[in-house]
Amino acid sequence: MNDEMPPTVFTARLSRATSNKLKLTVTDGPGEPLAVAVQGGADGVGSKLGVLFGFKNGGVGKHLVTFRGGNTLVVETRSGEPSVLVQNGEVIASLARGDESEVLLPTGETLFAIVPDPAGARTADAFHLHVYRCHADGQAREVVGALDVILTNTGWTFTAYTVIDVLDVLPDLTLANFARPLGTALRLPMQGVRLVLKGPLSDRDQAILVGVCVDLAIGLRPYVAAMRNNSSRAEAPSAAS
């Protein structure tokens, strides 16, 4: 008898709410969404007016996540420094981005590492990243699941798989996806994010990974080197190198 639990799929689809705000709806199955995030939901009036008049199509700001059951999380997306996740007035994690990205606890410990697929292949439809849990010794880490940044509608399509099987390609997300000519209608910068977990997580860790999805899809932050690379089509180096 196989006691291994099947993977859990969280689908975070990007849409537009009233007043031009980007909205990310996170589902974990049929019924009420797990969470809904709204661009700039915790920002001041001036920033909200920028969204209303079409000057801000995602990016930096304090994005408000409301979870099923009423709990909230503020994803403060920052430029040039780590984004922070705030719950009940306290920072519960920071998101340090680079060639690879880390989720850091307030103690300074690394909770998760987010890296590109070691093969470094790319497609036009999605980024496919690994999520690893990091242990206190700073060396050992184990795969938690897959994090896909979906660029086109066809990127949502996949067949049954194990988490390891699906992590096989890494396409290019460029700033061109975020740009628009002045005076034209705002468009969605991407389709959304898919998070596939090997097993259950604590409520805190699940909320943190939802915050990562918001930082990616509404905050438009690059989480691996290839997401900042507009020109090179070279494959990323193996994580083992």
Side-chain angles (χ1 to χ4, degrees):
M1 180 177 178
N2 186 358
D3 294 329
E4 185 176 347
M5 295 185 62
T8 302
V9 180
F10 297 84
T11 301
R13 291 184 181 271
L14 197 63
S15 61
R16 200 168 292 285
T18 57
S19 302
N20 271 331
K21 295 177 181 178
L22 292 176
K23 180 172 75 171
L24 192 70
T25 302
V26 184
T27 59
D28 56 355
E32 184 182 0
L34 170 67
V36 176
V38 178
Q39 175 189 354
D43 280 339
V45 173
S47 181
K48 291 178 180 178
L49 285 175
V51 175
L52 173 63
F53 291 111
F55 299 122
K56 288 190 67 177
N57 192 23
V60 298
K62 296 180 180 179
H63 312 305
L64 181 63
V65 186
T66 303
F67 288 91
R68 187 170 55 215
N71 291 333
T72 60
L73 175 73
V74 174
V75 179
E76 187 174 344
T77 295
R78 298 175 175 179
S79 178
E81 58 182 318
S83 299
V84 295
L85 308 182
V86 180
Q87 199 163 48
N88 299 323
E90 295 185 2
V91 174
I92 62 169
S94 59
L95 313 176
R97 300 173 302 272
D99 288 350
E100 298 182 356
S101 294
E102 294 182 328
V103 176
L104 304 173
L105 296 174
T107 59
E109 296 177 61
T110 301
L111 176 63
F112 295 120
I114 301 173
V115 306
D117 177 85
R122 303 178 181 187
T123 73
D125 295 321
F127 279 104
H128 300 290
L129 312 179
H130 291 266
V131 180
Y132 287 96
R133 181 180 296 280
C134 300
H135 296 286
D137 59 13
Q139 299 296 323
R141 61 187 189 178
E142 60 184 333
V143 66
V144 170
L147 183 63
D148 302 336
V149 178
I150 309 297
L151 304 179
T152 69
N153 277 326
T154 55
W156 293 114
T157 305
F158 66 99
T159 57
Y161 57 83
T162 66
V163 170
I164 300 302
D165 290 339
V166 77
L167 297 172
D168 58 356
V169 286
L170 175 67
D172 190 20
L173 177 66
T174 70
L175 292 179
N177 288 300
F178 307 152
R180 70 182 182 95
L182 189 62
T184 62
L186 287 171
R187 58 181 174 137
L188 293 177
M190 65 176 72
Q191 296 299 311
V193 182
R194 179 173 55 226
L195 175 63
V196 184
L197 299 177
K198 286 185 66 177
L201 295 178
S202 68
D203 289 345
R204 180 204 65 173
D205 289 358
Q206 183 174 278
I208 287 173
L209 288 179
V210 168
V212 168
C213 293
V214 173
D215 200 40
L216 279 162
I218 295 181
L220 304 179
R221 297 302 94 183
Y223 268 62
V224 296
M227 296 175 77
R228 301 192 306 269
N229 184 0
N230 290 351
S231 56
S232 174
R233 302 299 296 176
E235 291 188 349
S238 168
S241 63

